[in-house]
Amino acid sequence: MTIRLLWFFQAFSCGAIGVLVLLFSSGTAWSGDLQLFRIGTGGQLGVYYPIGDALARGISSSGSADKMIAVAQTSGGSVANVRALILGDIEAGLVQADVAFWALRGEGPFVGEKGWPVRALASLYPESLQILVRRDAGIKNINDFKGKAISLDEAGSGTLAVMRIVLDAHGLTEMDLKPVYLKPEFTTERLVRGKLDGISLVAGTPAQAIADIIGPDFSLVPIETQVATDISRTHPYFVPGVIPAKTYPGTSETPTLQVHALFLVREDMSADFVYQLMSAMWNEQTRSLLLASHFQGRSITRESALDGLTVPLHPGAVRFYQEQGMLEGEDGTQ
Ligand code: GLU
């Protein structure tokens, strides 16, 4: 119901309600020449959603992607987006580079599964692990998490997968905490009321979930650079980074762990279609929409589109980047 409503609003903004109602009633994402292109994002207070929405608007209004209506859908996050892609419930998704890597190989949240045929269109922007705690909880670093009520985000999120690695790097497991598995839209108020000690989110900066509530009663928890460096040795898609000073009012520079956000599709999507999509994604109008959508929109550039990829590019994307002179090898090698 929520998704249908969301589509409805998106459709309204695209001026295509009639068309979408037709698509719903036929129960398919494809109808004649018209193609519905659903982009899986994250929660409403994250960064995937505004960025996914800008991409959707850019793709929809571009003449180069023939008769396509793109819409952004909220979701549980990276892991949920991979699963929805595989099931055919969405056509594309924003996914953390670590989660994409694990999906391809049947590792991490996908352990015991055969490995899923996900392919990259582009690397988008860096995401940072952001942990916000109440000052009165007495948490200075992750070691202080013992016995604290911390939200690790929901099962479909990439955040939970990262938090498990970070806890492990400190010799902790979820069982050492009072873990809560909810998205920020359900936890920020609890944090403010003192029902939770902290919340975590792997997202671009600034994240609305944090910006909405931050003040003198809250602080960001650092991931020490040595710990982040050690993690990146065994998991090279993570890199040590910082949340710059003043990202949120009153915050100082905070060391953390970062990972790229990737834009993914399935391997079996037509290469011609993906090629058209790439032209739509990288045109000037989409760029303006991305710049207006969120601060991280400025990080999304064609020049950095191949940075931090952890899965192969889709053949349609290879063709596009080759024509741009960004790739030499036919298989997408640089
Ligand atoms: N990286 C987060 C996840 O996969 C989502 C971040 C966002 O919504 O911006 O769970």
Side-chain angles (χ1 to χ4, degrees):
M1 185 62 196
T2 323
I3 287 173
R4 287 191 174 208
L5 267 181
L6 186 71
W7 282 351
F8 205 78
F9 286 123
Q10 294 291 342
F12 190 77
S13 63
C14 295
I17 289 176
V19 170
L20 281 193
V21 167
L22 246 180
L23 290 171
F24 290 149
S25 51
S26 69
T28 170
W30 308 86
S31 173
D33 282 351
L34 277 167
Q35 298 178 347
L36 181 59
F37 189 80
R38 297 161 295 185
I39 302 174
T41 63
Q44 273 161 1
L45 300 182
V47 181
Y48 282 5
Y49 185 73
I51 293 288
D53 183 55
L55 286 170
R57 284 167 197 272
I59 290 167
S60 288
S61 56
S62 153
S64 53
D66 218 15
K67 294 187 184 150
M68 181 160 44
I69 297 169
V71 293
Q73 292 182 191
T74 54
S75 86
S78 293
V79 175
N81 290 343
V82 167
R83 298 213 180 281
L85 259 184
I86 298 311
L87 289 171
D89 289 341
I90 55 175
E91 281 66 47
L94 277 76
V95 175
Q96 289 171 204
D98 54 333
V99 173
F101 179 86
W102 295 325
L104 194 72
R105 294 172 173 238
E107 294 175 9
F110 306 96
V111 74
E113 300 175 31
K114 63 183 175 138
W116 300 113
V118 288
R119 292 292 182 266
L121 298 185
S123 169
L124 299 178
Y125 61 90
E127 296 189 82
S128 300
L129 174 57
Q130 304 173 65
I131 305 172
L132 186 71
V133 295
R134 292 179 62 88
R135 277 195 199 277
D136 61 11
I139 300 170
K140 292 272 176 278
N141 61 48
I142 304 287
N143 294 313
D144 300 326
F145 270 20
K146 257 194 181 153
K148 303 292 182 192
I150 309 286
S151 178
L152 305 173
D153 210 328
E154 65 179 65
S157 71
T159 302
L160 176 58
V162 175
M163 283 304 286
R164 286 185 169 145
I165 289 173
V166 167
L167 288 173
D168 185 56
H170 291 82
L172 296 172
T173 74
E174 287 146 87
M175 296 312 130
D176 295 313
L177 332 176
K178 289 185 201 132
V180 170
Y181 302 97
L182 289 172
K183 291 222 101 48
E185 38 269 56
F186 305 108
T187 54
T188 48
E189 202 197 313
R190 290 189 201 196
L191 186 67
V192 170
R193 284 193 285 121
K195 305 269 180 222
L196 273 177
D197 297 308
I199 60 170
S200 52
L201 175 65
V202 174
T205 54
Q208 197 191 326
I210 295 178
D212 279 353
I213 59 170
I214 196 145
D217 297 342
F218 300 96
S219 60
L220 292 171
V221 179
I223 305 299
E224 301 305 339
T225 308
Q226 189 54 53
V227 175
T229 305
D230 288 347
I231 292 176
S232 72
R233 275 200 196 107
T234 30
H235 302 282
Y237 25 80
F238 293 122
V239 290
V242 294
I243 302 169
K246 299 198 176 71
T247 293
Y248 302 100
T251 58
S252 47
E253 185 175 279
T254 309
T256 192
L257 203 59
Q258 293 183 325
V259 65
H260 278 92
L262 308 184
F263 195 28
L264 300 188
V265 292
R266 255 173 33 186
E267 183 189 27
D268 60 2
M269 185 168 263
S270 129
D272 285 344
F273 180 79
V274 169
Y275 180 82
Q276 284 183 48
L277 202 61
M278 299 303 293
S279 317
M281 177 178 171
W282 293 119
N283 72 18
E284 276 310 309
Q285 194 188 353
T286 307
R287 171 112 188 109
S288 313
L289 289 161
L290 285 167
L291 286 173
S293 68
H294 186 273
F295 179 75
Q296 289 299 337
R298 66 157 81 167
S299 310
I300 304 175
T301 65
R302 213 178 327 190
E303 292 68 39
S304 60
L306 307 178
D307 295 351
L309 294 178
T310 50
V311 298
L313 283 168
H314 188 282
V318 169
R319 192 174 128 208
F320 180 85
Y321 292 121
Q322 274 173 342
E323 284 181 13
Q324 301 293 316
M326 291 169 64
L327 286 175
E328 276 162 21
E330 290 209 346
D331 58 349
T333 48
Q334 274 171 284

